[in-house]
Amino acid sequence: MSNPTTPRARAREQTMRDIVRVGRTHLATDGAAALSLRAIARDIGLVSSAVYRYVESRDELLTLLVIDGYDELGDAVDAAVAVVPEGDHAGRLRAVGRAVRAWALAEPATYALLFGSPVPGYHAPSERTTGPGTRVIGALIAIWEAAWLDGSLRVDEGAIAPRRLSRDLARIRREAGITAPDALVARGMLMWAAVFGCISFEVFGQYGADTLTQPGDLFEHHLRVLEEVVGLG
């Protein structure tokens, strides 16, 4: 959010923060489809009509919650990576995975909004959500690229088949501004998808209640396997 300088601007900023904060509480108790701006207004002491001066619709509220969730997750990942030495690429990859998992387990409703089933009738505006939403993959890409540049990664640089996929991967490399080969980009995308897949299984109870004594043990094993997948094992 902005850095307001006048009392009126500061008051508006605080109200916006309150709307997001209470909105996330309602998200956890009522679910995304049942969010009500009027109910949120009541909880923060606004008359129901006044809330629309701050947030014009339920979709706008969902967008604010999506951005807030992505930014909070991105901040958690950045903080976790920052305490791991730059040359410890495997340690940094593990830090990303652990940070995402810890945040997801602490904020399952917001995680579900970001990575679960789409909210009926809602489409997140890409111009506002793509930046915050790509912070985690951005952190992973930075780690893979650093490992590639210092020679820590072992990966076959051969061409990816089919040609269409190779073109897609080359475009991704250009857009990300990285030099790592297509094969590493493809393996990195597998790690990205697998990390979130493993976390989603745990958050949404897909393993079953009595299958695992400690799901974190399996997640740590998966992280080690995925390090090998990208060439750090």
Side-chain angles (χ1 to χ4, degrees):
M1 290 186 179
S2 59
N3 238 341
T5 56
T6 67
R8 183 175 180 178
R10 287 195 294 272
R12 180 178 180 82
E13 186 78 359
Q14 184 58 56
T15 300
M16 292 295 294
R17 292 182 187 279
D18 289 343
I19 290 171
V20 170
R21 173 180 54 81
V22 175
R24 284 184 60 169
T25 299
H26 283 227
L27 180 69
T29 57
D30 304 327
L35 283 175
S36 164
L37 278 171
R38 291 178 179 272
I40 291 169
R42 183 176 60 248
D43 283 1
I44 63 176
L46 286 176
V47 297
S48 59
S49 59
V51 74
Y52 294 100
R53 296 202 298 265
Y54 299 91
V55 181
E56 64 183 19
S57 66
R58 183 210 68 157
D59 282 7
E60 173 65 13
L61 174 62
L62 283 169
T63 296
L64 292 175
L65 296 181
V66 166
I67 293 171
D68 187 65
Y70 277 139
D71 277 338
E72 189 174 275
L73 174 58
D75 289 346
V77 166
D78 289 348
V81 171
V83 300
V84 181
E86 289 186 7
D88 184 2
H89 307 302
R92 287 192 156 201
L93 288 179
R94 289 193 295 272
V96 171
R98 290 166 180 164
V100 175
R101 176 177 179 266
W103 183 84
L105 292 174
E107 300 289 343
T110 303
Y111 180 87
L113 175 64
L114 302 182
F115 304 107
S117 299
V119 180
Y122 171 70
H123 301 283
S126 59
E127 69 276 7
R128 296 176 62 188
T129 58
T130 296
T134 55
R135 287 180 61 184
V136 173
I137 184 58
L140 290 172
I141 287 172
I143 296 167
W144 303 329
E145 175 73 353
W148 172 253
L149 290 175
D150 73 11
S152 298
L153 280 172
R154 300 183 300 276
V155 64
D156 181 8
E157 295 186 56
I160 295 284
R163 186 175 301 174
R164 180 172 55 197
L165 175 57
S166 183
R167 288 197 299 266
D168 287 342
L169 294 173
R171 174 178 46 78
I172 291 168
R173 288 171 56 244
R174 290 193 303 271
E175 291 174 352
I178 59 175
T179 62
D182 292 354
L184 175 55
V185 176
R187 292 185 181 199
M189 292 179 75
L190 171 59
M191 180 179 189
W192 176 36
V195 164
F196 278 92
C198 292
I199 292 169
S200 293
F201 254 58
E202 186 173 353
V203 171
F204 302 139
Q206 296 301 310
Y207 288 124
D210 302 318
T211 304
L212 298 167
T213 303
Q214 176 48 262
D217 294 341
L218 181 62
F219 186 73
E220 289 295 319
H221 173 72
H222 285 157
L223 286 178
R224 290 192 296 273
V225 171
L226 290 170
E227 289 165 22
E228 296 176 1
V229 167
V230 297
L232 282 171

